[in-house]
Amino acid sequence: MKLTKLKSKTQHIAKRITSAATRRKRLSSNVRKKILWRQRSCILTATTEHSSPTL
C-alpha cells in the first residue's frame, strides 16, 4: 500500500515539473515571436516612410 502511494505521488510531482517546463518553453517562444513581429513591423514602417516621399 505504501509503495503505490509513494509512486503516485512521485508521478504527480514529475508531471507538474514537466508541465511547468513546457509552460516556460511556450512563454519564451511566445515572447520571441512577439519580439520578432515587433521588429518586422518596425522595419516595415521605416521602409514605407522612406519610400513614400520619393514616390
Side-chain angles (χ1 to χ4, degrees), residues 26-54:
R26 201 185 306 119
L27 281 168
S28 65
S29 67
N30 282 351
V31 167
R32 203 179 298 120
K33 283 176 189 169
K34 282 179 184 173
I35 290 166
L36 282 169
W37 178 252
R38 201 177 294 133
Q39 286 175 344
R40 201 178 297 132
S41 61
C42 282
I43 291 164
L44 280 170
T45 52
T47 52
T48 51
E49 282 174 10
H50 286 296
S51 62
S52 55
T54 53

Side-chain angles (χ1 to χ4, degrees), residues 6-19:
L6 194 79
K7 195 177 181 185
S8 64
K9 199 175 264 189
T10 51
Q11 281 178 342
H12 177 68
I13 290 164
K15 194 184 268 185
R16 203 167 63 209
I17 288 166
T18 52
S19 66

